[in-house]
Amino acid sequence: MAKAIVSPLLERGEYNPQNVLGIVGRNSSIASALNDLPKEVKVVSSEDSLSKEVWKAPLKILAVKPQQFSKIKESLSSFQSNDQDQFPKPLLISVLAGITLKSLKKAFPGHTCVRAVPNTPSLVGQGLTGLAWPDDITLDQKKVVRKIFEPISEIYELEEKKLDSFLALTSSGPAYIALVVEAMTDGAVAAGLPRHLSNQLAHKTLSGTASLLREKSLHPAELKDMVASPAGTTISALRHLELAGLRSALIEAVVLAADKSRQLAEEVSS
Ligand SMILES: NC(=O)c1ccc[n+]([C@@H]2O[C@H](COP(=O)([O-])OP(=O)(O)OC[C@H]3O[C@@H](n4cnc5c(N)ncnc54)[C@H](OP(=O)(O)O)[C@@H]3O)[C@@H](O)[C@H]2O)c1
């Protein structure tokens, strides 16, 4: 995720690659992290003494797994900064699911901490990012953060308490959609189409439907009604999906993902 965020900024020349320091957990990850990045970018492992340099940087993007959060906190506490009172404070942007602004502020004193929730379509420049601001952020710092996520995503500025629901729809959503596409492909194979063709047709059906909904500003129910003709094939299939509880399963899935995100936040802050 960190690379998906940083790469387009380097491609656009927004930052000088010589000023970018990437940190990974293990030495063995360095080569793949450097892949596709300009040669001037330096990447080191967290064991390398150079990794401590990151705490002097005016802008940091934290993109480890939430379970690795405590190790990062330890790493900061072992670094003695002599400039805790600078203005504006250095920015720390966290994309960690479920780690609250309160936990970030406690873990990274002397920083202005921002929570960002991007999603995987950001990898192809079609993402969505939810941003929650802390109270102490300046207008210029907000501009810096927006500029970081704009090349890869549409930005939604939200109250922090809404980020769990945002994540349950947008960050987990690609997995729900992928599951539906995979299942539809299996259905086509079961109905007699070759696997490769079924895959291709399922992807095209997905992207074509998304474009149609967007470009004609259709409500999903309108599109469904357009496709389902009386006593036809689609309404027979829809009857089965209703009986199998597809809609209800998806509704509950989004609610569960939001609940889980809140639960993770409580576990980390307790
Ligand atoms: N993937 C998504 O769709 C998505 C969407 C929104 C938000 N997020 C959030 O983004 C974060 C990262 O997800 P990801 O999928 O990009 O995970 P990832 O591919 O596992 O990346 C995590 C990176 O952190 C490095 N790391 C581990 N320990 C470290 C340490 N002590 N110091 C510095 N670096 C360390 C890892 O290096 P090693 O591999 O060497 O350990 C790896 O490069 C998660 O918190 C997730 O909640 C992800």
Side-chain angles (χ1 to χ4, degrees):
M1 187 48 80
K3 212 164 140 180
I5 297 167
V6 171
S7 291
L9 296 170
L10 294 174
E11 273 165 31
R12 289 170 172 230
E14 300 277 356
Y15 292 88
N16 181 345
Q18 283 177 336
N19 294 336
V20 175
L21 175 63
I23 303 172
V24 289
R26 297 158 298 165
N27 278 320
S28 55
S29 312
I30 295 177
S32 68
L34 281 169
N35 217 359
D36 302 329
L37 286 178
K39 61 178 182 342
E40 297 88 348
V41 172
K42 193 169 274 174
V43 174
V44 298
S45 92
S46 56
E47 303 301 322
D48 192 312
S49 59
L50 194 61
S51 71
K52 303 281 179 278
E53 290 293 309
V54 83
W55 296 115
K56 294 181 191 157
L59 171 62
K60 303 161 193 79
I61 297 175
L62 183 63
V64 297
K65 296 279 189 213
Q67 298 81 345
Q68 294 155 341
F69 181 57
S70 49
K71 189 131 185 253
I72 305 297
K73 285 194 281 184
E74 281 167 31
S75 149
L76 171 62
S77 59
S78 67
F79 174 79
Q80 298 301 316
S81 168
N82 13 348
D83 200 4
Q84 293 273 320
D85 299 322
Q86 43 179 309
F87 182 83
K89 292 183 217 161
L91 259 175
L92 184 137
I93 304 171
S94 162
V95 299
L96 276 63
I99 308 286
T100 60
L101 286 174
K102 194 172 160 202
S103 302
L104 290 168
K105 202 169 174 169
K106 197 167 148 204
F108 306 109
H111 288 78
T112 300
C113 299
V114 175
R115 258 185 92 182
V117 180
N119 68 352
T120 37
S122 299
L123 294 168
V124 289
Q126 300 207 32
L128 296 167
T129 300
L131 293 174
W133 305 120
D135 296 335
D136 59 350
I137 194 158
T138 67
L139 287 176
D140 284 342
Q141 285 178 315
K142 282 188 182 182
K143 270 192 212 154
V144 169
V145 178
R146 286 191 201 104
K147 261 188 123 173
I148 287 174
F149 290 97
E150 266 162 11
I152 55 167
S153 59
E154 276 178 33
I155 291 171
Y156 292 81
E157 294 169 35
L158 298 164
E159 288 172 85
E160 187 180 19
K161 64 179 182 201
K162 298 218 165 70
L163 283 187
D164 300 296
S165 315
F166 182 88
L167 171 152
L169 177 61
T170 63
S171 289
S172 307
Y176 320 147
I177 304 287
L179 197 85
V180 170
V181 172
E182 188 197 21
M184 283 168 60
T185 308
D186 284 346
V189 173
L193 285 186
R195 170 67 62 184
H196 177 70
L197 180 62
S198 303
N199 266 331
Q200 209 175 334
L201 297 177
H203 287 175
K204 285 273 179 194
T205 305
L206 173 75
S207 57
T209 306
S211 302
L212 179 59
L213 283 170
R214 189 177 53 244
E215 282 168 34
K216 300 278 181 198
S217 302
L218 287 176
H219 186 282
E222 281 180 277
L223 176 54
K224 181 209 48 157
D225 289 356
M226 273 163 64
V227 183
S229 50
T233 52
T234 307
I235 196 68
S236 303
L238 288 172
R239 276 182 69 188
H240 179 76
L241 291 175
E242 292 291 0
L243 204 61
L246 179 75
R247 274 158 42 88
S248 165
L250 285 170
I251 292 168
E252 296 309 313
V254 176
V255 173
L256 272 175
D259 287 348
K260 179 73 185 178
S261 174
R262 287 185 201 104
Q263 188 192 323
L264 282 174
E266 273 167 30
E267 280 168 19
V268 171
S269 58
S270 62

